[in-house]
Amino acid sequence: MSLRPTLDFLLYHWLDAESLNQRERFADHSRETFDAVFDTCERIAREKYAPFNRTVDTQEPHFDGEKVILPQATHDAQKAYAASGMLSAAQDYEVGGMQLPYTVEAAANAFFAMASVSIGSGLLTTGNANLLMVHGTDAQKEVFAKNEFSGRFSGTMCLSEPQAGSSLSDVTTRAVPDGEGFEADPLGARYRLKGNKMWISAGEHELADNIIHLVLAKIPGPDGKLIAGTRGISLFIVPKKMVNPQGELTGVRNDVALAGLNHKLGWRGTTNTLLNFGEGKYPVDGQAGAVGYLVGKPHEGLRCMFHMMNEARIGVGMAATMLGMAGYYASLDYAKNRPQGRPVGVGGKDAAQPQIRIIEHADVKRMLLAQKAYCEGALALELYCARLVDEHHTAGGQAADDARLLLEVLTPIAKSWPSEWCLEANSLAIQVHGGYGYTRDFPVEQYWRDNRLNMIHEGTHGIQAMDLLGRKVLMEGGRGLQLLAARINATIEKAIQQPELAEHANALGKALQHVGSATKAAWATGEPGEALANAVPYMQAFGHTVLAWTWLDVALAGLSLPQDAPQAGRMGAMRYFYHYELPKIDAWLKVVETRDLTCADLPEEAF
């Protein structure tokens, strides 16, 4: 089954991506150029990624004492991806980009995520370079970002530490000025870093000439002590290999050493590393300390890094979505071809009759429809968020600012909702396969393993939920939540006039009202501990409401098209979501609005 018809509908009939070509930045493009990009990416994904998804899962990265060894297929895939121009697809022509809308870039990358998310397609490299294009100096853009966009260098983000995990306040990597005249280095103020970073994806490999690490570290205060909390965090470019101001390798290895490879449940084709910075294994100019160049201003590192983190969160949501979609397509194909059982008639089952295909059983249809509702709904959400990125960057005026704020509110949902519910889709795909589902004879068990990481990647559910309820719905006086409610209500007003959608429009209106009242109730006492005790159930209810809105809007867009099998599928998925999923929000919101402390107050000894 092909992803392309679903993408075409969402992009051209729902999001009207062609209208972006009226913007000056995208004026050279047309549907033909967008489709050409999709053709190229679909072909590369089919030829260089999909056939090797199992290979990279079973042939895990290993360290031979000098370098990390990856399968040849990974080298070939990364080379083909870089040659396609997708690393810089949304960048200016002047830096070798295509000035594609981010909406199109995100859709094109979906092919790679579905074919083999474990091989990867440059998410961190692009995000790293994009950050430098916003916050870096001209020299940093020229030497580091442009070489990342070309594929000559690759990039990472180094946040977590073994003792700190997601608590960035507790990072202890230190950065001290590198001697006299440290501020005059042409590549940026030069520091020496010492510390350890954990869970660094693509932190060591031979896929590119160099690896550019973006590292969070703290500059000690005048007393020599690290500043407590996140206020003291700065951001540094730390290349694996030293370069000169022209971007040429000098032949000197920077003091960054691989301490070990992490072996994960999934995403086994991507190296995941523990890195030691500045331990003295590779001294530069005769002294220990990894050389790093300051990005932006001192102590503003986290603000800069959020540029990359938010981009990565949407990327993780897309990866989760496409893993779910891959499982859905695999289980749909299996269900259409696997004969088993017989229908139940008035007199029971007639064993003399031939077996039927399992897709003819109601419960298998339920599992397939759930997967379709989760995965196609999540894809629509991710593309909608990508469209908001384009609105923010090119619409101008109030429309651009509204898009910025809507994206702030939706980012926790764009990351967390697919990583929970498309994982559930993968679980259902295994179930459709029966006993074969958890064997390696079929791909669905790998899809589940790969997807299980996404609930933790780029911030756990708990972190996203506290961000949503503790910050995003409150920021700017609640204006973001009001903007979202206005868009949902606009869809409701259109849908309520359509007989086949009116019932669902009313249900969505009640759900939106319930989310609003629960938000107020959660904060009624003003006590963060009480409000946030059930932040995850709040986020689940909020996410389901957003997805119900998404499905209703998608269904509306389909009413003007021929009422064929694809439209019947969209309507069926929409009805499934409203009948089976949306009613869940009442249970989730009950503990939120009563500020239930069952979990928070249970003493440790009681567990």
Side-chain angles (χ1 to χ4, degrees), residues 473-480 482:
V473 299
L474 304 177
M475 65 190 301
E476 299 184 25
R479 190 170 74 87
Q482 293 166 9

Side-chain angles (χ1 to χ4, degrees), residues 198-216:
M198 177 60 103
W199 312 121
I200 309 307
S201 294
E204 181 60 45
H205 54 74
E206 301 295 319
L207 297 171
D209 292 347
N210 205 354
I211 302 174
I212 309 305
H213 303 291
L214 283 177
V215 183
L216 292 182

Side-chain angles (χ1 to χ4, degrees), residues 56-259:
V56 299
D57 184 62
T58 56
Q59 297 179 24
E60 290 189 65
H62 65 276
F63 185 53
D64 70 356
E66 294 184 6
K67 57 187 178 182
V68 170
I69 308 299
L70 291 165
Q72 183 61 41
T74 302
H75 291 261
D76 294 342
Q78 297 283 32
K79 184 178 180 179
Y81 185 81
S84 75
M86 286 303 295
L87 285 166
S88 58
Q91 286 296 319
D92 294 349
Y93 295 133
E94 288 74 18
V95 297
M98 293 187 267
Q99 288 189 196
L100 280 176
Y102 181 63
T103 309
V104 175
E105 179 189 16
N109 278 322
F111 292 110
F112 300 102
M114 190 170 77
S116 181
V117 74
S118 189
I119 291 178
S121 54
L123 168 67
L124 292 178
T125 297
T126 297
N128 180 310
N130 286 345
L131 182 153
L132 293 177
M133 293 302 293
V134 174
H135 299 289
T137 65
D138 288 343
Q140 289 170 348
K141 294 174 187 178
E142 192 70 30
V143 171
F144 300 112
K146 287 188 179 181
N147 278 308
E148 289 182 277
F149 285 137
S150 73
R152 181 175 168 235
F153 296 169
S154 69
T156 74
M157 57 191 299
C158 300
L159 287 73
S160 298
E161 297 179 4
Q163 83 292 343
S166 298
S167 180
L168 297 181
S169 297
D170 298 310
V171 302
T172 58
T173 298
R174 300 168 66 94
V176 298
D178 188 22
E180 291 185 15
F182 75 97
E183 292 178 307
D185 193 293
L187 294 179
R190 180 172 160 141
Y191 287 74
R192 292 280 184 152
L193 279 71
K194 294 184 178 182
N196 314 102
K197 293 294 181 177
M198 177 60 103
W199 312 121
I200 309 307
S201 294
E204 181 60 45
H205 54 74
E206 301 295 319
L207 297 171
D209 292 347
N210 205 354
I211 302 174
I212 309 305
H213 303 291
L214 283 177
V215 183
L216 292 182
K218 290 185 175 181
I219 301 172
D223 59 358
K225 296 180 180 179
L226 299 181
I227 300 172
T230 59
R231 291 183 302 107
I233 293 176
S234 301
L235 180 63
F236 300 88
I237 298 167
V238 183
K240 173 184 172 181
K241 300 174 183 178
M242 300 300 292
V243 300
N244 63 24
Q246 289 71 48
E248 299 164 337
L249 301 182
T250 65
V252 176
R253 173 77 183 260
N254 202 357
D255 198 7
V256 183
L258 177 70

Side-chain angles (χ1 to χ4, degrees), residues 21 29 39 106 118 177 185 212 239 256 298 321 328 420 431 475 543-544:
N21 299 326
H29 291 294
D39 290 342
S118 189
D185 193 293
I212 309 305
V256 183
T321 298
Y328 167 54
E420 179 173 7
Q431 194 74 12
M475 65 190 301
H544 261 48

Side-chain angles (χ1 to χ4, degrees), residues 272-316:
N272 191 275
T273 61
L274 168 60
L275 298 177
N276 291 343
F277 290 84
E279 67 176 0
K281 186 173 182 178
Y282 303 104
V284 180
D285 296 331
Q287 60 177 303
V291 173
Y293 305 99
L294 182 68
V295 179
K297 297 179 181 178
H299 312 306
E300 292 189 5
L302 200 56
R303 182 181 68 84
C304 296
M305 185 57 93
F306 263 110
H307 184 101
M308 186 174 181
M309 288 167 66
N310 284 331
E311 188 173 322
R313 284 171 175 171
I314 295 174
V316 167

